[in-house]
Amino acid sequence: MNSLRLLWSYARARRNAGRWKTREALERWQDTAVRRHLAWVRRHSPYYQELYAGLDLRNWRDFPIIGKTEMMGNFSRLNTAGLDLGEALRVAQRAEETRDFLPMVKGLTVGLSSGTSGSRGLFAASAAERAEWAGTLLARVLPRGLAAHGQRAALFLRSNSNLYRSIQSRRLSFRYFDLLRPWEELLEQLEAFAPTLLVAPPSALRRLAEARAAGRISVRPDKICAAAEVLEPQDAAFIAAAFGHRAVHGIYQATEGFLGATCAYGTMHLNEDVAVIQREELGEGRFVPIITDFRRRTQPVIRHRLNDVLRERRTPCPCGSLFTALEAVEGRCDDLLVFERVGGGTVEIFPDFIRLAVITAHPAIEEYSVVQDPENGGLRVALKTPLPMAGEAARTVEQSLHRFWKNQRFRPVPLRFGPWSPPEPGQKLRRILRTVPQLP
Ligand SMILES: [Zn+2]
């Protein structure tokens, strides 16, 4: 393992946090880094050699945008290690099935990432890149810094990878908790491990918080980090309260890289010292990010459009960081619901609006999900409430949604109510969907 590289990246990420005096200086530095990176990628990736043939690298900000489809469709020629997509997929798939997570091809780690709408992504990274990723992550996430001894990080993840196993030392140990294991077993192991840092998807954090509130575990981590799913405000509040914390921190990560983390003030900042994040503006501070990572070489991520909607923070964060501050990672583009205007035409609605209309409707609502049928636009609303309240809660949600449609001048859609059930273990918790979740 590249432990020197890890330490180097760690130190670099810590230093970068306060390295630039102005936003302009940061952007000038990014520009140089991207151009140098693209020159390298163009020499080593057959796909980019062709795509960027004859282009002036100074104009990289306007180069073609690619998405997951292009990335996967051209994977074998796009990566710079001569990795074959079919072979990499076979190895990664086998690791998922056997849950033996040491998938290596040509000395590279490969892994599957679950995308939204059932599309799967593949990532490939070299040992040096993994070390760099880990160093940056630790710099941004570790509550007490790497110099402090006896830190224990508990990671609840859908799938392990030798990425996480690689970091073990006297100062820091990682323990991976497989979300597909029986819950009782996980609770017992977590209690014994006594983590100082707890990282998990919000759905798992929520269950851990319930277990803690019920006195079934007594762990008291210094820091709690939500990863892999959108953390909704009511979950954040519940989880923080159960663990006696002021806030739940967050990691913003995708196949496309480690994109952001919360600062000491709980504000999510983008990692603009490893990637440029361009914006496809949606108005009112919302944007879809287009990522250009200028560190990753094995699997270049350049002008890569993510299926996320980010909302910028309107006021500067008190921590003073120059890195873009976000109010929220609002969710994936597929979570937009579609309604018809009364006068004709359709409109896409951010999940936030529906979320508000549902959770503010009735105080007894503990959990919910809203699934839109793309055929007729109807909504299937599942609610978790104490039983005697179910009928009343459904009625108030119905009224709340009708009020929303009326105010917005949308045509009402058919509503169906039913009881809520938790996501299958290992599945992402997604409350607002536009399609019926597909079975694997
Ligand atoms: Zn901040």
Side-chain angles (χ1 to χ4, degrees):
M1 172 65 189
N2 272 290
S3 44
L4 268 180
R5 168 75 77 149
L6 189 154
L7 289 173
W8 174 83
S9 309
Y10 174 87
R12 174 181 180 275
R14 286 259 158 164
R15 191 181 67 238
N16 281 351
R19 180 167 164 194
W20 296 278
K21 296 284 168 281
T22 63
R23 185 75 204 174
E24 292 67 40
L26 167 65
E27 285 172 11
R28 270 199 307 276
W29 176 84
Q30 284 180 325
D31 188 64
T32 311
V34 170
R35 282 199 259 159
R36 196 183 307 135
H37 180 65
L38 293 197
W40 188 93
V41 169
R42 187 159 65 175
R43 282 198 305 276
H44 294 86
S45 156
Y47 175 77
Y48 281 110
Q49 203 157 59
E50 200 177 298
L51 191 67
Y52 293 168
L55 295 183
D56 185 339
L57 292 184
R58 279 174 298 189
N59 303 325
W60 66 269
R61 285 176 182 276
D62 301 315
F63 281 7
I65 291 176
I66 75 164
K68 194 166 253 172
T69 316
E70 289 82 10
M71 172 73 86
M72 292 302 283
N74 299 288
F75 186 88
S76 304
R77 298 180 64 243
L78 183 145
N79 78 82
T80 60
L83 205 56
D84 175 65
L85 175 68
E87 190 189 356
L89 273 177
R90 268 194 303 280
V91 171
Q93 189 77 51
R94 199 160 54 232
E96 287 275 331
E97 285 157 11
T98 58
R99 307 205 70 70
D100 166 26
F101 296 102
L102 288 167
M104 300 279 279
V105 185
K106 289 186 166 185
L108 301 167
T109 298
V110 294
L112 294 173
S113 65
S114 56
T116 50
S117 66
S119 75
R120 286 196 143 180
L122 180 80
F123 72 84
S126 68
E129 284 169 324
R130 277 155 44 213
E132 188 165 333
W133 171 89
T136 310
L137 187 84
L138 291 177
R140 300 274 142 88
V141 173
L142 268 189
R144 284 181 284 163
L146 203 52
H149 279 250
Q151 303 202 69
R152 296 174 301 280
L155 297 166
F156 282 74
L157 298 163
R158 191 186 52 82
S159 62
N160 195 3
S161 131
N162 45 13
L163 201 65
Y164 308 110
R165 206 174 285 182
S166 57
I167 309 156
Q168 296 288 356
S169 74
R170 247 175 333 116
R171 289 177 172 167
L172 175 73
S173 56
F174 267 82
R175 175 77 62 83
Y176 158 68
F177 295 81
D178 185 343
L179 280 171
L180 290 182
R181 301 295 307 158
W183 193 245
E184 289 305 318
E185 187 185 304
L186 293 178
L187 288 183
E188 216 170 278
Q189 287 172 2
L190 183 71
E191 189 73 3
F193 185 57
T196 56
L197 171 68
L198 173 60
V199 181
S203 53
L205 283 181
R206 171 128 200 155
R207 293 184 71 181
L208 291 171
E210 283 164 4
R212 193 163 192 300
R216 293 166 65 201
I217 51 171
S218 61
V219 292
R220 189 174 273 284
D222 297 335
K223 188 168 176 177
I224 300 171
C225 253
E229 293 164 3
V230 174
L231 176 66
E232 298 195 21
Q234 86 261 32
D235 284 342
F238 179 81
I239 295 160
F243 285 98
H245 280 240
R246 277 220 314 267
V248 175
H249 283 263
I251 296 172
Y252 178 30
Q253 187 168 245
T255 321
E256 291 76 12
F258 172 39
L259 302 172
T262 47
C263 67
Y265 291 84
T267 305
M268 177 71 71
H269 289 277
L270 294 172
N271 287 332
E272 287 170 299
D273 57 337
V274 291
V276 173
I277 290 97
Q278 293 177 282
R279 302 166 184 217
E280 194 177 293
E281 298 288 352
L282 298 171
E284 294 176 22
R286 292 186 168 87
F287 64 94
V288 174
I290 296 162
I291 312 290
T292 299
D293 186 318
F294 45 83
R295 307 282 319 170
R296 277 174 71 169
R297 287 183 161 189
T298 305
Q299 180 182 10
V301 172
I302 302 164
R303 295 267 294 154
H304 192 101
R305 186 183 186 280
L306 287 188
N307 257 353
D308 287 345
V309 176
L310 310 184
R311 184 152 48 97
E312 188 172 15
R313 196 183 144 104
R314 285 173 199 278
T315 52
C317 180
C319 78
S321 170
L322 287 175
F323 296 160
T324 300
L326 300 179
E327 203 68 66
V329 177
E330 282 199 342
R332 312 270 152 170
C333 287
D334 338 40
D335 288 339
L336 296 176
L337 300 188
V338 181
F339 296 104
E340 278 178 34
R341 287 194 194 282
V342 171
T346 58
V347 60
E348 292 181 320
I349 286 298
F350 292 104
D352 246 19
F353 294 103
I354 301 299
R355 181 174 302 141
L356 264 178
V358 174
I359 60 171
T360 56
H362 199 284
I365 297 172
E366 293 167 9
E367 260 307 343
Y368 73 93
S369 68
V370 177
V371 180
Q372 186 170 43
D373 178 349
E375 295 286 308
N376 68 357
L379 301 183
R380 200 150 47 83
V381 182
L383 300 175
K384 182 184 172 197
T385 55
L387 253 190
M389 315 293 276
E392 192 189 318
R395 268 193 305 282
T396 53
V397 169
E398 187 168 10
Q399 285 162 2
S400 173
L401 285 169
H402 275 279
R403 226 175 9 250
F404 170 71
W405 289 323
K406 187 158 174 253
N407 290 341
Q408 301 294 323
R409 304 184 152 274
F410 297 158
R411 228 179 263 290
V413 299
L415 284 173
R416 246 174 54 215
F417 286 88
W420 182 87
S421 53
E424 294 292 311
Q427 292 292 309
K428 288 193 178 189
L429 172 72
R430 299 180 64 213
R431 291 196 173 90
I432 301 193
L433 300 172
R434 201 167 163 254
T435 44
V436 179
Q438 286 172 354
L439 295 172

